[in-house]
mmCIF file of all heavy atoms in Angstrom:
data_model
loop_
_atom_site.group_PDB
_atom_site.id
_atom_site.type_symbol
_atom_site.label_atom_id
_atom_site.label_comp_id
_atom_site.label_asym_id
_atom_site.label_seq_id
_atom_site.Cartn_x
_atom_site.Cartn_y
_atom_site.Cartn_z
ATOM 1 N N PRO O 494 -13.543 19.919 -0.413
ATOM 2 C CA PRO O 494 -12.556 20.528 0.495
ATOM 3 C C PRO O 494 -11.413 21.207 -0.286
ATOM 4 O O PRO O 494 -11.172 20.889 -1.439
ATOM 5 C CB PRO O 494 -12.047 19.342 1.300
ATOM 6 C CG PRO O 494 -12.219 18.164 0.361
ATOM 7 C CD PRO O 494 -13.472 18.461 -0.443
ATOM 8 N N THR O 495 -10.787 22.189 0.320
ATOM 9 C CA THR O 495 -9.568 22.696 -0.238
ATOM 10 C C THR O 495 -8.454 21.677 0.031
ATOM 11 O O THR O 495 -8.630 20.738 0.798
ATOM 12 C CB THR O 495 -9.194 24.029 0.419
ATOM 13 O OG1 THR O 495 -8.865 23.781 1.827
ATOM 14 C CG2 THR O 495 -10.309 25.053 0.367
ATOM 15 N N MET O 496 -7.338 21.831 -0.677
ATOM 16 C CA MET O 496 -6.246 20.859 -0.480
ATOM 17 C C MET O 496 -5.729 20.956 0.976
ATOM 18 O O MET O 496 -5.415 19.894 1.557
ATOM 19 C CB MET O 496 -5.154 21.149 -1.456
ATOM 20 C CG MET O 496 -4.058 20.080 -1.459
ATOM 21 S SD MET O 496 -4.686 18.390 -1.849
ATOM 22 C CE MET O 496 -4.765 18.507 -3.654
ATOM 23 N N ASP O 497 -5.687 22.110 1.532
ATOM 24 C CA ASP O 497 -5.232 22.243 2.930
ATOM 25 C C ASP O 497 -6.200 21.496 3.831
ATOM 26 O O ASP O 497 -5.747 20.837 4.793
ATOM 27 C CB ASP O 497 -5.151 23.738 3.341
ATOM 28 C CG ASP O 497 -3.922 24.417 2.841
ATOM 29 O OD1 ASP O 497 -3.038 23.721 2.264
ATOM 30 O OD2 ASP O 497 -3.805 25.644 2.939
ATOM 31 N N GLU O 498 -7.499 21.625 3.597
ATOM 32 C CA GLU O 498 -8.483 20.952 4.427
ATOM 33 C C GLU O 498 -8.323 19.421 4.247
ATOM 34 O O GLU O 498 -8.356 18.659 5.251
ATOM 35 C CB GLU O 498 -9.912 21.362 4.028
ATOM 36 C CG GLU O 498 -10.303 22.797 4.468
ATOM 37 C CD GLU O 498 -11.620 23.208 3.905
ATOM 38 O OE1 GLU O 498 -12.087 22.617 2.909
ATOM 39 O OE2 GLU O 498 -12.239 24.121 4.515
ATOM 40 N N PHE O 499 -8.185 19.000 3.038
ATOM 41 C CA PHE O 499 -8.062 17.584 2.791
ATOM 42 C C PHE O 499 -6.853 16.987 3.531
ATOM 43 O O PHE O 499 -6.916 15.952 4.156
ATOM 44 C CB PHE O 499 -7.961 17.271 1.286
ATOM 45 C CG PHE O 499 -7.738 15.857 0.922
ATOM 46 C CD1 PHE O 499 -8.782 14.955 0.932
ATOM 47 C CD2 PHE O 499 -6.433 15.356 0.619
ATOM 48 C CE1 PHE O 499 -8.618 13.597 0.623
ATOM 49 C CE2 PHE O 499 -6.246 14.046 0.305
ATOM 50 C CZ PHE O 499 -7.334 13.138 0.323
ATOM 51 N N CYS O 500 -5.714 17.683 3.408
ATOM 52 C CA CYS O 500 -4.466 17.188 4.050
ATOM 53 C C CYS O 500 -4.626 17.171 5.593
ATOM 54 O O CYS O 500 -4.174 16.233 6.209
ATOM 55 C CB CYS O 500 -3.316 18.073 3.644
ATOM 56 S SG CYS O 500 -2.796 17.818 1.916
ATOM 57 N N SER O 501 -5.234 18.182 6.152
ATOM 58 C CA SER O 501 -5.368 18.253 7.592
ATOM 59 C C SER O 501 -6.366 17.227 8.138
ATOM 60 O O SER O 501 -6.234 16.762 9.275
ATOM 61 C CB SER O 501 -5.788 19.636 8.043
ATOM 62 O OG SER O 501 -7.106 19.959 7.556
ATOM 63 N N GLN O 502 -7.352 16.821 7.281
ATOM 64 C CA GLN O 502 -8.383 15.855 7.713
ATOM 65 C C GLN O 502 -8.063 14.428 7.333
ATOM 66 O O GLN O 502 -8.428 13.483 8.090
ATOM 67 C CB GLN O 502 -9.713 16.276 7.137
ATOM 68 C CG GLN O 502 -10.220 17.609 7.615
ATOM 69 C CD GLN O 502 -11.268 18.183 6.715
ATOM 70 O OE1 GLN O 502 -11.807 17.521 5.801
ATOM 71 N NE2 GLN O 502 -11.664 19.469 6.925
ATOM 72 N N GLU O 503 -7.417 14.207 6.142
ATOM 73 C CA GLU O 503 -7.320 12.864 5.571
ATOM 74 C C GLU O 503 -5.913 12.349 5.446
ATOM 75 O O GLU O 503 -5.735 11.153 5.204
ATOM 76 C CB GLU O 503 -8.037 12.816 4.224
ATOM 77 C CG GLU O 503 -9.478 13.205 4.246
ATOM 78 C CD GLU O 503 -10.345 12.246 5.070
ATOM 79 O OE1 GLU O 503 -9.962 11.090 5.159
ATOM 80 O OE2 GLU O 503 -11.410 12.696 5.582
ATOM 81 N N VAL O 504 -4.910 13.227 5.531
ATOM 82 C CA VAL O 504 -3.560 12.775 5.250
ATOM 83 C C VAL O 504 -2.694 12.828 6.515
ATOM 84 O O VAL O 504 -2.011 11.827 6.894
ATOM 85 C CB VAL O 504 -2.878 13.644 4.139
ATOM 86 C CG1 VAL O 504 -1.460 13.248 3.952
ATOM 87 C CG2 VAL O 504 -3.676 13.530 2.852
ATOM 88 N N GLU O 505 -2.659 13.937 7.172
ATOM 89 C CA GLU O 505 -1.777 14.136 8.282
ATOM 90 C C GLU O 505 -2.134 13.344 9.552
ATOM 91 O O GLU O 505 -1.223 12.890 10.279
ATOM 92 C CB GLU O 505 -1.648 15.636 8.619
ATOM 93 C CG GLU O 505 -1.005 16.434 7.481
ATOM 94 C CD GLU O 505 -1.221 17.925 7.614
ATOM 95 O OE1 GLU O 505 -1.821 18.337 8.653
ATOM 96 O OE2 GLU O 505 -0.811 18.685 6.775
ATOM 97 N N PRO O 506 -3.393 13.185 9.897
ATOM 98 C CA PRO O 506 -3.713 12.489 11.179
ATOM 99 C C PRO O 506 -3.332 11.036 11.118
ATOM 100 O O PRO O 506 -3.585 10.324 10.187
ATOM 101 C CB PRO O 506 -5.271 12.637 11.244
ATOM 102 C CG PRO O 506 -5.611 13.790 10.428
ATOM 103 C CD PRO O 506 -4.621 13.727 9.276
ATOM 104 N N ILE O 507 -2.719 10.577 12.204
ATOM 105 C CA ILE O 507 -2.360 9.177 12.347
ATOM 106 C C ILE O 507 -3.669 8.354 12.393
ATOM 107 O O ILE O 507 -4.680 8.740 12.990
ATOM 108 C CB ILE O 507 -1.566 8.961 13.650
ATOM 109 C CG1 ILE O 507 -0.173 9.541 13.542
ATOM 110 C CG2 ILE O 507 -1.485 7.482 14.019
ATOM 111 C CD1 ILE O 507 0.691 8.834 12.528
ATOM 112 N N GLY O 508 -3.649 7.192 11.748
ATOM 113 C CA GLY O 508 -4.819 6.316 11.800
ATOM 114 C C GLY O 508 -5.835 6.545 10.690
ATOM 115 O O GLY O 508 -6.803 5.838 10.569
ATOM 116 N N LYS O 509 -5.561 7.558 9.857
ATOM 117 C CA LYS O 509 -6.480 7.815 8.710
ATOM 118 C C LYS O 509 -6.071 6.960 7.500
ATOM 119 O O LYS O 509 -4.932 6.955 7.073
ATOM 120 C CB LYS O 509 -6.435 9.295 8.318
ATOM 121 C CG LYS O 509 -7.361 10.187 9.042
ATOM 122 C CD LYS O 509 -8.816 9.859 8.685
ATOM 123 C CE LYS O 509 -9.799 10.892 9.296
ATOM 124 N NZ LYS O 509 -11.156 10.657 8.856
ATOM 125 N N GLU O 510 -7.038 6.211 7.014
ATOM 126 C CA GLU O 510 -6.763 5.261 5.898
ATOM 127 C C GLU O 510 -6.467 6.008 4.622
ATOM 128 O O GLU O 510 -6.887 7.164 4.435
ATOM 129 C CB GLU O 510 -7.980 4.324 5.728
ATOM 130 C CG GLU O 510 -8.289 3.448 6.910
ATOM 131 C CD GLU O 510 -9.583 2.735 6.772
ATOM 132 O OE1 GLU O 510 -10.226 2.852 5.700
ATOM 133 O OE2 GLU O 510 -10.009 2.046 7.695
ATOM 134 N N ALA O 511 -5.753 5.372 3.759
ATOM 135 C CA ALA O 511 -5.379 5.974 2.472
ATOM 136 C C ALA O 511 -6.299 5.474 1.396
ATOM 137 O O ALA O 511 -6.720 4.294 1.354
ATOM 138 C CB ALA O 511 -3.932 5.589 2.092
ATOM 139 N N ASP O 512 -6.674 6.373 0.509
ATOM 140 C CA ASP O 512 -7.479 6.054 -0.665
ATOM 141 C C ASP O 512 -6.695 6.313 -1.960
ATOM 142 O O ASP O 512 -5.497 6.572 -1.875
ATOM 143 C CB ASP O 512 -8.809 6.840 -0.644
ATOM 144 C CG ASP O 512 -9.953 6.072 -1.264
ATOM 145 O OD1 ASP O 512 -9.700 5.208 -2.130
ATOM 146 O OD2 ASP O 512 -11.125 6.398 -0.923
ATOM 147 N N HIS O 513 -7.410 6.281 -3.063
ATOM 148 C CA HIS O 513 -6.739 6.328 -4.372
ATOM 149 C C HIS O 513 -5.853 7.580 -4.503
ATOM 150 O O HIS O 513 -4.716 7.506 -4.979
ATOM 151 C CB HIS O 513 -7.769 6.338 -5.503
ATOM 152 C CG HIS O 513 -7.190 6.209 -6.878
ATOM 153 N ND1 HIS O 513 -7.038 5.012 -7.500
ATOM 154 C CD2 HIS O 513 -6.672 7.151 -7.673
ATOM 155 C CE1 HIS O 513 -6.497 5.210 -8.703
ATOM 156 N NE2 HIS O 513 -6.244 6.496 -8.845
ATOM 157 N N LEU O 514 -6.342 8.737 -4.070
ATOM 158 C CA LEU O 514 -5.561 9.992 -4.240
ATOM 159 C C LEU O 514 -4.269 9.902 -3.441
ATOM 160 O O LEU O 514 -3.198 10.249 -3.928
ATOM 161 C CB LEU O 514 -6.410 11.195 -3.773
ATOM 162 C CG LEU O 514 -5.691 12.509 -3.642
ATOM 163 C CD1 LEU O 514 -5.002 12.884 -4.988
ATOM 164 C CD2 LEU O 514 -6.641 13.637 -3.221
ATOM 165 N N GLN O 515 -4.350 9.451 -2.196
ATOM 166 C CA GLN O 515 -3.117 9.388 -1.383
ATOM 167 C C GLN O 515 -2.135 8.404 -1.972
ATOM 168 O O GLN O 515 -0.934 8.678 -1.977
ATOM 169 C CB GLN O 515 -3.499 8.930 0.045
ATOM 170 C CG GLN O 515 -4.276 9.972 0.885
ATOM 171 C CD GLN O 515 -5.786 9.722 0.811
ATOM 172 O OE1 GLN O 515 -6.316 9.529 -0.257
ATOM 173 N NE2 GLN O 515 -6.407 9.797 1.943
ATOM 174 N N ILE O 516 -2.618 7.271 -2.508
ATOM 175 C CA ILE O 516 -1.728 6.294 -3.086
ATOM 176 C C ILE O 516 -1.041 6.841 -4.322
ATOM 177 O O ILE O 516 0.180 6.777 -4.470
ATOM 178 C CB ILE O 516 -2.493 5.012 -3.446
ATOM 179 C CG1 ILE O 516 -3.092 4.383 -2.202
ATOM 180 C CG2 ILE O 516 -1.547 3.985 -4.127
ATOM 181 C CD1 ILE O 516 -3.991 3.208 -2.509
ATOM 182 N N ALA O 517 -1.831 7.450 -5.198
ATOM 183 C CA ALA O 517 -1.297 8.012 -6.457
ATOM 184 C C ALA O 517 -0.276 9.114 -6.184
ATOM 185 O O ALA O 517 0.806 9.161 -6.773
ATOM 186 C CB ALA O 517 -2.412 8.516 -7.337
ATOM 187 N N ALA O 518 -0.593 9.994 -5.240
ATOM 188 C CA ALA O 518 0.263 11.149 -4.963
ATOM 189 C C ALA O 518 1.557 10.723 -4.260
ATOM 190 O O ALA O 518 2.656 11.248 -4.529
ATOM 191 C CB ALA O 518 -0.489 12.175 -4.122
ATOM 192 N N LEU O 519 1.436 9.735 -3.364
ATOM 193 C CA LEU O 519 2.661 9.303 -2.660
ATOM 194 C C LEU O 519 3.594 8.565 -3.627
ATOM 195 O O LEU O 519 4.828 8.683 -3.543
ATOM 196 C CB LEU O 519 2.327 8.446 -1.454
ATOM 197 C CG LEU O 519 3.453 8.117 -0.516
ATOM 198 C CD1 LEU O 519 4.194 9.348 -0.058
ATOM 199 C CD2 LEU O 519 2.976 7.303 0.703
ATOM 200 N N CYS O 520 3.026 7.756 -4.500
ATOM 201 C CA CYS O 520 3.872 7.100 -5.529
ATOM 202 C C CYS O 520 4.539 8.146 -6.408
ATOM 203 O O CYS O 520 5.721 7.991 -6.777
ATOM 204 C CB CYS O 520 3.018 6.143 -6.385
ATOM 205 S SG CYS O 520 2.551 4.638 -5.540
ATOM 206 N N ASP O 521 3.828 9.181 -6.738
ATOM 207 C CA ASP O 521 4.392 10.271 -7.547
ATOM 208 C C ASP O 521 5.505 10.941 -6.812
ATOM 209 O O ASP O 521 6.584 11.236 -7.376
ATOM 210 C CB ASP O 521 3.273 11.267 -7.882
ATOM 211 C CG ASP O 521 3.735 12.384 -8.834
ATOM 212 O OD1 ASP O 521 3.967 12.038 -9.999
ATOM 213 O OD2 ASP O 521 3.880 13.537 -8.399
#
Side-chain angles (χ1 to χ4, degrees):
T495 65
M496 188 60 79
D497 283 351
E498 289 174 337
F499 177 79
C500 289
S501 66
Q502 296 161 9
E503 302 295 334
V504 176
E505 295 166 4
I507 290 293
K509 272 290 188 177
E510 298 170 4
D512 209 337
H513 188 95
L514 172 55
Q515 291 95 314
I516 299 173
L519 190 53
C520 287
D521 185 70

